[in-house]
Amino acid sequence: MSRPILIALFTLFVSSLLPSYPCALVQYSFTALQVPGNPDGYPLPVLGYFDNTKGPLYYMSDRPFPGPLIRAKMGDTLQVDITNGLGETKITTHFHGIHQKNNVWMDGTYMITECGISGGQTFRYLFNVTQTGTYWYHSHAGPEYTEGLLGPMIIDYPDGEEDPVMVQFQYVLEHVLILQDWDHETSDQLGMLYAAPRGIFPGFQPQFPWTHRAILINGRGQFNCKYNNCMDGYTPSEKGRCAGIPQCLVERPPLIGPCNATAYPIDEYTCQPGKYIRIRIINSASNMPLQMWIDRHNMTIVARDGLEVAQRTVPFITIPVGQRLDVMVLCDQDPGYKYSMIYTVPAVFIPLSTNLDQLWSHTYLTYTANTSVVVPHIIPLYNYSTARDLGSLMYANDTNLEYTLPPAPAPNDAFVAEPADARVVINYGVVWDSRAGWPLEEWVLNFKRFMSPNRPYLQSVLLGQLDSIQQNVEQVHATGSGISSFNYTRETSTIELEYGKVYEFVIVSEDFYQQHPWHMHGHTLNFTAYGSLPLGANSSTDECQQTWQANGKVSELVPDYTLPQPIIARGDSFTVAEHGFVAFRFRADNPGPWLFHCHVDWHMSQGMTIIFNVGQKGNSYVNLPPPPSWVPQCGVDSLWGPPPAPPPIQKGDTLLHDLKIAGATFFATLVVVGGALSCIVMRRRLRSSSGYSSIQ
């Protein structure tokens, strides 16, 4: 037997003794396109991510969104190539909830971490997966995801490590539900209607994009094909619990085809009698918290934002924008029926004076094909007073459900947030100004309305060009409806965080009439407190006339930040209730500029954003590796380095594969052994730092 063959056999023998921990390169390739769609029976242009591997007609689909499921395992390297087929519209792709540890280059935030993908161009997102759980991806350049440019993402446990939810429930089926509120105008039109100045032409009044027309589940929903011209009896005006400016969005017949309320059969999700199913629920709405319940079935919440929680069984869930909840459902009802799965908006968000008779959709939980549908016990009620009086699910908004889901029990985890080195308080609110030429509203955080920079913030730091951004500050003095006098700035606002230190943030709502969903990029947050602000002196008993004390009370409401505190919940997407507050802590150990923003997309567009700038030292960031070679510099026709060579590994292959075949040298043997051992070490390191079994 020849020496090379002996070496090859030895290589294979050694590799066979190592545990099965494949570090895979998992590849996807999508093109973003605008196509005609008909998600709820009302035809209109929609956006979508389309799989380039599906052949020349890859864009032909009667369900153009959500995009393909991205699935990988913790420890894998994920490569996602995105081609922009939208012409002049720039896009990005943000992987919502993924930390991008030491790799802020791949966070996909327009003019913060990248230039955006121009029409006809392709950008490669390449990153190590350091978490497990349910996530989603979407464009983060503008409101494109509100038109369909989004998709689900699941990160599984690695080979050789058991999923604790699977171990406990032994479920046989899994369903992914990506939920949206849906409109029948493009985001450009709705954005202009919201942000355009008052009186731009005689009689023009800007409006917030509300109410929505349907709720979509995996790109499908139901619309009743009713139209209105804002002058007849069917007028869904925005005038909620507390009287505001009456507003109305015209509902006109579609341009590209007739409306058909029964265009598609109702989607069905299989349930095997006597077995559990896992449902991964993602709220990818542009605006609203969404409610879901399954007729005659309870749901046991097992994970939130990719993190296992202490389990709680509930009859319904309320899920804020951006958040993910994993629930287990026991299929223990009569298998001779189909059961309604209902998705809607809580009644507290329905205008008082409206005959809007459907803002909900449904699917079926089906045990056996060709069975009849049982009439559901509870259907949505669209009358605020009636819903409140009945105490129905529709009124039970359950804003603070997420803070009753502490981390799941785990060995060696005290579930204690370590003491913080500093506390930062962020007060946010809205500025209205009734003068002609002013927008309907702007949102401010600590008296600053965020303005996107004209070049990526990250690039500006590294090229020493930050001065031009920092000096671009506009002083604003607003007077008008809702305020007597108010001074604020319009700027690219940041909070500087020292690398390695622990910070406590207290987010205080000075918006007394609506809750807001927030999302933190790059970090998992440890929540330590939440609640409502105290009523002001001599406050009215009428909820619409009450005042609240927003200033000077934080130290009385939140525990001492210099002491350890119990963790009441963990996540990256959360709600601050109206006239409420939330406190969280995290260690600033992921360098770069990370967005913290309201996930009501329209509010974000009007300033409800700030950058948490972690670890900047002069023209660099502590422990941030150099930019990937293929990342372009904006404003100049050059890359940070040479273009990357095409990767040799195909989807599903492992980095060890070719070495096992070609391992006829001792060097190959060392690579196999060293690679496997490093993968094991990496997985153990990721597990210890992922927030599942150690203090963050």
Side-chain angles (χ1 to χ4, degrees):
M1 188 176 294
S2 67
R3 184 176 180 181
I5 293 177
L6 286 173
I7 295 176
L9 290 174
F10 176 72
T11 301
L12 293 174
F13 171 72
V14 172
S15 66
S16 69
L17 297 178
L18 295 170
S20 177
Y21 285 107
C23 291
L25 174 65
V26 182
Q27 297 172 287
Y28 292 91
S29 179
F30 303 151
T31 293
L33 292 172
Q34 184 180 57
V35 297
N38 190 17
D40 62 350
Y42 185 103
L44 76 170
V46 302
L47 304 180
Y49 289 105
F50 295 88
D51 189 343
N52 292 331
T53 67
K54 297 298 185 182
L57 298 180
Y58 63 91
Y59 52 83
M60 292 294 290
S61 173
D62 64 359
R63 196 190 297 251
F65 67 91
L69 172 65
I70 292 177
R71 194 154 201 161
K73 296 177 182 178
M74 189 179 73
D76 288 344
T77 296
L78 190 57
Q79 175 184 303
V80 184
D81 292 344
I82 302 293
T83 299
N84 183 357
L86 299 178
E88 296 181 358
T89 300
K90 283 193 173 185
I91 62 170
T92 68
T93 298
H94 168 62
F95 301 89
H96 184 109
I98 298 297
H99 291 164
Q100 304 292 2
K101 182 69 173 178
N102 296 324
N103 194 16
V104 69
W105 306 98
M106 298 293 113
D107 195 45
T109 47
Y110 181 62
M111 287 298 154
I112 306 300
T113 62
E114 66 170 87
C115 315
I117 309 169
S118 299
Q121 301 298 308
T122 300
F123 185 82
R124 172 166 295 166
Y125 295 92
L126 185 69
F127 53 93
N128 293 326
V129 180
T130 63
Q131 302 154 261
T132 62
T134 305
Y135 304 92
W136 58 298
Y137 61 96
H138 60 87
S139 181
H140 212 303
E144 298 89 8
Y145 88 80
T146 69
E147 298 183 57
L149 205 55
L150 77 174
M153 180 176 183
I154 296 175
I155 308 300
D156 294 310
Y157 279 81
D159 294 340
E161 186 170 348
E162 294 181 317
D163 181 337
V165 176
M166 172 62 81
V167 171
Q168 178 180 350
F169 291 94
Q170 294 297 307
Y171 58 91
V172 295
L173 289 172
E174 175 182 275
H175 302 298
V176 180
L177 305 179
I178 190 161
L179 313 181
Q180 296 170 262
D181 47 22
W182 189 246
D183 297 292
H184 291 158
E185 304 289 349
T186 67
S187 60
D188 285 343
Q189 291 171 308
L190 294 173
M192 179 174 290
L193 179 65
Y194 178 46
R198 298 175 188 271
I200 192 70
F201 60 81
F204 174 75
Q205 170 68 40
Q207 300 181 48
F208 185 83
W210 171 249
T211 60
H212 303 290
R213 301 312 187 197
I215 305 299
L216 303 186
I217 309 96
N218 290 339
R220 289 277 173 82
Q222 294 98 45
F223 173 62
N224 56 17
C225 292
K226 284 190 176 182
Y227 309 126
N228 80 87
N229 59 9
C230 293
M231 298 177 67
D232 55 24
Y234 178 71
T235 305
S237 60
E238 189 204 351
K239 197 171 184 180
R241 297 184 320 226
C242 302
I245 300 173
Q247 300 183 85
C248 178
L249 295 180
V250 170
E251 183 66 68
R252 53 190 176 182
L255 175 65
I256 61 176
C259 187
N260 180 0
T262 58
Y264 302 107
I266 303 299
D267 284 344
E268 300 185 19
Y269 296 94
T270 304
C271 193
Q272 292 189 9
K275 303 290 186 180
Y276 278 98
I277 60 171
R278 182 174 188 165
I279 306 179
R280 300 175 184 264
I281 306 162
I282 303 165
N283 185 351
S284 63
S286 65
N287 185 22
M288 304 306 303
L290 296 175
Q291 238 171 23
M292 173 189 170
W293 64 88
I294 305 175
D295 185 44
R296 295 172 171 82
H297 294 75
N298 285 329
M299 295 177 283
T300 299
I301 302 172
V302 295
R304 171 250 175 114
D305 288 352
L307 302 165
E308 283 88 8
V309 300
Q311 295 162 13
R312 180 177 178 183
T313 299
V314 294
F316 73 99
I317 60 168
T318 302
I319 180 169
V321 180
Q323 198 172 102
R324 294 85 63 206
L325 290 178
D326 289 25
V327 302
M328 302 304 301
V329 177
L330 178 60
C331 305
D332 60 353
Q333 297 299 305
D334 186 340
Y337 294 97
K338 299 176 183 178
Y339 299 89
S340 295
M341 305 169 70
I342 295 176
Y343 316 83
T344 188
V345 173
V348 293
F349 293 95
I350 299 298
L352 278 173
S353 55
T354 178
N355 3 1
L356 180 65
D357 55 358
Q358 181 168 337
L359 187 52
W360 60 281
S361 295
H362 68 286
T363 58
Y364 293 132
L365 188 67
T366 302
Y367 286 69
T368 307
N370 302 317
T371 54
S372 57
V373 178
V374 66
V375 176
H377 280 154
I378 299 175
I379 61 172
L381 299 170
Y382 288 116
N383 182 293
Y384 174 76
S385 299
T386 303
R388 178 176 55 188
D389 293 342
L390 292 178
S392 73
L393 292 182
M394 287 295 296
Y395 179 68
N397 184 30
D398 205 12
T399 304
N400 294 319
L401 169 67
E402 59 196 277
Y403 302 114
T404 64
L405 301 172
N412 305 317
D413 194 331
F415 300 122
V416 172
E418 55 190 319
D421 297 295
R423 171 183 285 166
V424 180
V425 179
I426 296 179
N427 291 274
Y428 70 83
V430 64
V431 179
W432 295 287
D433 198 302
S434 57
R435 291 175 291 179
W438 287 71
L440 173 70
E441 58 189 25
E442 291 186 290
W443 292 88
V444 295
L445 280 68
N446 290 349
F447 303 102
K448 297 177 181 180
R449 186 258 199 241
F450 185 85
M451 302 294 291
S452 179
N454 57 9
R455 63 173 64 92
Y457 194 92
L458 180 57
Q459 172 185 309
S460 298
V461 170
L462 298 183
L463 296 181
Q465 300 172 341
L466 202 56
D467 286 349
S468 62
I469 294 176
Q470 294 174 333
Q471 294 169 2
N472 188 15
V473 178
E474 178 186 0
Q475 302 290 333
V476 183
H477 178 71
T479 59
S481 175
I483 55 174
S484 56
S485 180
F486 194 83
N487 295 313
Y488 62 102
T489 62
R490 294 172 178 153
E491 61 179 285
T492 303
S493 48
T494 66
I495 294 177
E496 302 298 318
L497 302 181
E498 187 174 339
Y499 184 86
K501 286 195 172 182
V502 176
Y503 290 87
E504 178 179 274
F505 280 81
V506 184
I507 314 301
V508 181
S509 172
E510 296 187 29
D511 180 1
F512 299 151
Y513 302 114
Q514 61 181 313
Q515 66 189 57
H516 290 269
W518 292 88
H519 174 51
M520 179 67 207
H521 290 223
H523 300 80
T524 291
L525 308 177
N526 293 319
F527 298 97
T528 57
Y530 73 97
S532 295
L533 299 175
L535 283 170
N538 303 316
S539 188
S540 170
T541 57
D542 181 347
E543 66 174 325
C544 294
Q545 302 297 322
Q546 290 172 341
T547 59
W548 307 83
Q549 299 179 35
N551 297 315
K553 294 292 181 179
V554 169
S555 60
E556 300 176 18
L557 300 172
V558 181
D560 188 342
Y561 72 89
T562 66
L563 299 176
Q565 298 296 338
I567 298 173
I568 60 174
R570 283 174 173 159
D572 57 70
S573 301
F574 65 97
T575 302
V576 179
E578 61 269 28
H579 52 77
F581 67 90
V582 170
F584 58 80
R585 298 180 189 179
F586 70 95
R587 183 176 291 278
D589 59 358
N590 197 6
W594 302 100
L595 279 185
F596 176 70
H597 62 90
C598 177
H599 223 292
V600 173
D601 215 57
W602 313 111
H603 290 169
M604 183 181 175
S605 71
Q606 287 297 95
M608 213 166 182
T609 302
I610 199 165
I611 295 172
F612 286 5
N613 198 35
V614 177
Q616 182 186 340
K617 293 290 186 180
N619 295 340
S620 64
Y621 285 91
V622 176
N623 290 342
L624 180 65
S629 60
W630 63 91
V631 174
Q633 296 184 33
C634 306
V636 292
D637 188 20
S638 65
L639 305 173
W640 290 97
I649 300 171
Q650 300 303 312
K651 179 180 177 180
D653 290 344
T654 69
L655 296 176
L656 305 179
H657 178 72
D658 290 337
L659 294 177
K660 287 181 179 179
I661 295 176
T665 65
F666 184 67
F667 176 74
T669 304
L670 293 178
V671 171
V672 171
V673 176
L677 291 176
S678 65
C679 191
I680 296 170
V681 171
M682 178 179 70
R683 289 199 187 281
R684 289 177 177 170
R685 183 174 66 250
L686 296 180
R687 170 57 60 206
S688 68
S689 63
S690 63
Y692 296 96
S693 58
S694 65
I695 295 177
Q696 296 258 300

